[in-house]
Amino acid sequence: MRRHHLSPVPPARHLLVAGAVTVATAVGIGVLAVGGGSSDGPRAHPSASASAPAKAPDGLRHTSVEVSEGGCGHGWTDATGGKQVFDLRNTSSRPAEVYLTDPANGAVYGEVEGLGPGTSRPLSVTLGGGSYAFVCLPEDADAVTGPTVRVPGPARGGGPAAVPVSQQDLIPPTIAYQKWVAGRMDELVRRTDALRSAIHCGEPATARAAWLPAHLVYERMGAAYGAFGDADGAINGTTAGLSGGVHDPDFTGFHRLEYGLWHGQSASALRPVADQLVKDVRKLREDWSQARMDPADLGLRAHEIMENTVQFELTGRTDYGSGTNLATTRANLDGTRAVLRRLEPLLKPRAPWLPELKSDLDRTQRTLERSHHGDHWTPLDRLSRTGRQRLNADAGALVERLSRVAALMDVRRTR
């Protein structure tokens, strides 16, 4: 994927977007309730329900709760279970984040971030029987835990909760993923060398056959692009932002060769492009041992790979003549699985919907494979209407489910 040209993807905290309709949908699939992080309204997070309006016609029980260093959680005394709204009021002089937690293990039922001084924000949750406490995290100050409140009755029927992950938790899967990427580098170099050789020999049919396998090796390493730096643009950049389009001298790498090979350009025109691609790929392999991925990005990438696939591959915006967007989508699906395998030890105790996520991955893969015939992939514009609708639906559902991985793997303040 050519992420360096994409519009910026927001941090994992904001992947489940604010808004009553979006969050209400999330409730049914087990995502934390979250009040909005901006003046636009509530936002979602890994495990509860949607924000309700701050006034009573919603028919829900409302409780006004103080957010401050000296009075965190004050105001909630008459506890009851079921769906309800906490109207969080920041009475302090600094912005704060607020979590509703299980005080025994720190699991989060809902959160509001960016609650400004003197402002209020609703947080809607569904509570079963158990113990709860608000945690207030003022900006530039230590966290404060409010009083523990006991809700009577059985625990069943409450919204799910998730224990926050720490930066330290994410280091082992990130290191494992970096090693996995390192293990792909030799194949990338070997296949790119074969592509260059075919171009130098003036064999366009052989070069076209060699282009896709080389390109797909790179595409499968989708979560590493942030650590690739400028190499990503050189190796896999598109014409986005280039004034000269396909003729711009800064259009290089796989897609520049794709354009030339499928538009009849001569071997003499493509040889320097192929030489530079091989040089860039070899330099990437050489530099990778010193690269460091940010552990906090790994969960975000699990969502971002397929989100960008839907935005760019499944719209054909990255097709420069080969008609292989569906093959690239399949490679991106493989790349997503590679990230999830490393995150699975953290996801298993936090994501009861993990089996459904795996089903979404399998279903999307089966749909893609209907367009795969030997070495040939059906071009995107030749899919039947039914096939296109099925693919869009499956990929869209998968992206929605992956957004919860990003939310769960978001590193949160605990002190």
Side-chain angles (χ1 to χ4, degrees):
M1 304 173 68
R2 53 271 340 121
R3 297 96 181 162
H4 64 294
H5 287 314
L6 304 186
S7 57
V9 178
R13 283 184 176 278
H14 302 279
L15 286 172
L16 300 182
V17 184
V21 174
T22 301
V23 181
T25 301
V27 177
I29 49 182
V31 179
L32 286 179
V34 180
S38 70
S39 59
D40 295 332
R43 72 175 183 86
H45 167 293
S47 284
S49 73
S51 270
K55 294 193 177 179
D58 56 19
L60 298 176
R61 175 190 177 96
H62 281 243
T63 304
S64 181
V65 175
E66 182 179 348
V67 176
S68 68
E69 293 174 62
C72 181
H74 288 188
W76 185 27
T77 54
D78 183 17
T80 187
K83 187 173 182 179
Q84 56 198 282
V85 178
F86 294 103
D87 295 311
L88 305 176
R89 299 174 297 105
N90 187 350
T91 60
S92 72
S93 60
R94 63 180 84 200
E97 297 180 20
V98 191
Y99 300 158
L100 178 62
T101 70
D102 179 341
N105 59 15
V108 177
Y109 288 88
E111 71 173 322
V112 168
E113 74 169 9
L115 183 62
T119 64
S120 297
R121 183 89 48 184
L123 173 66
S124 176
V125 293
T126 301
L127 303 182
S131 296
Y132 301 87
F134 280 100
V135 177
C136 303
L137 300 101
E139 188 176 280
D140 300 323
D142 292 338
V144 178
T145 300
T148 296
V149 175
R150 175 73 188 173
V151 173
R156 66 178 181 273
V163 176
V165 298
S166 68
Q167 185 93 352
Q168 195 70 25
D169 292 331
L170 288 165
I171 289 175
T174 303
I175 292 174
Y177 182 77
Q178 286 186 205
K179 290 179 178 177
W180 180 84
V181 170
R184 315 274 80 74
M185 289 293 182
D186 285 347
E187 183 185 4
L188 178 63
V189 169
R190 184 174 69 254
R191 290 192 179 277
T192 308
D193 280 345
L195 171 60
R196 178 181 64 171
S197 295
I199 290 172
H200 271 265
C201 291
E203 300 172 351
T206 304
R208 285 193 292 269
W211 180 85
L212 183 60
H215 184 231
L216 295 185
V217 176
Y218 187 85
E219 287 285 342
R220 290 187 185 99
M221 300 188 288
Y225 78 90
F228 287 168
D230 292 341
D232 183 55
I235 293 170
N236 209 36
T238 68
T239 56
L242 301 181
S243 60
V246 295
H247 304 294
D248 197 292
D250 289 333
F251 182 35
T252 62
F254 280 116
H255 288 297
R256 173 64 183 88
L257 289 177
E258 179 188 8
Y259 178 81
L261 288 169
W262 273 269
H263 287 83
Q265 291 190 338
S266 66
S268 61
L270 296 180
R271 281 173 190 140
V273 182
D275 290 343
Q276 186 62 49
L277 175 60
V278 167
K279 186 182 296 184
D280 291 336
V281 164
R282 288 180 175 273
K283 183 69 162 55
L284 179 65
R285 180 177 64 174
E286 177 186 337
D287 292 345
W288 184 246
S289 62
Q290 302 302 316
R292 296 292 180 268
M293 291 180 62
D294 184 350
D297 286 344
L298 197 61
L300 173 61
R301 302 297 183 237
H303 169 260
E304 184 183 55
I305 293 171
M306 289 307 299
E307 181 184 51
N308 290 345
T309 297
V310 168
Q311 185 179 3
F312 291 90
E313 299 302 334
L314 295 187
T315 58
R317 291 168 65 180
T318 53
D319 181 14
Y320 288 88
S322 68
T324 57
N325 289 109
L326 295 182
T328 303
T329 299
R330 177 67 170 82
N332 293 159
L333 193 68
D334 291 341
T336 300
R337 288 187 188 273
V339 178
L340 292 173
R341 279 195 293 272
R342 277 77 198 173
L343 290 174
E344 190 163 358
L346 297 177
L347 287 170
K348 273 187 174 178
R350 294 174 171 85
W353 38 263
L354 196 55
E356 286 81 3
L357 172 57
K358 292 179 179 180
S359 294
D360 287 343
L361 288 162
D362 292 342
R363 182 169 54 253
T364 304
Q365 181 172 323
R366 288 193 299 270
T367 298
L368 285 168
E369 288 297 332
R370 292 189 178 99
S371 301
H372 187 196
H373 313 284
D375 294 332
H376 175 74
W377 286 82
T378 303
L380 193 64
D381 60 3
R382 294 185 192 171
L383 286 177
S384 67
R385 180 175 181 180
T386 300
R388 185 57 188 265
Q389 289 174 336
R390 180 188 298 118
L391 179 57
N392 288 347
D394 291 346
L398 175 59
V399 168
E400 181 178 349
R401 189 92 64 179
L402 287 167
S403 68
R404 281 171 271 166
V405 174
L408 279 175
M409 295 298 103
D410 184 21
V411 176
R412 286 169 171 78
R413 276 188 63 191
T414 56
R415 348 177 248 201

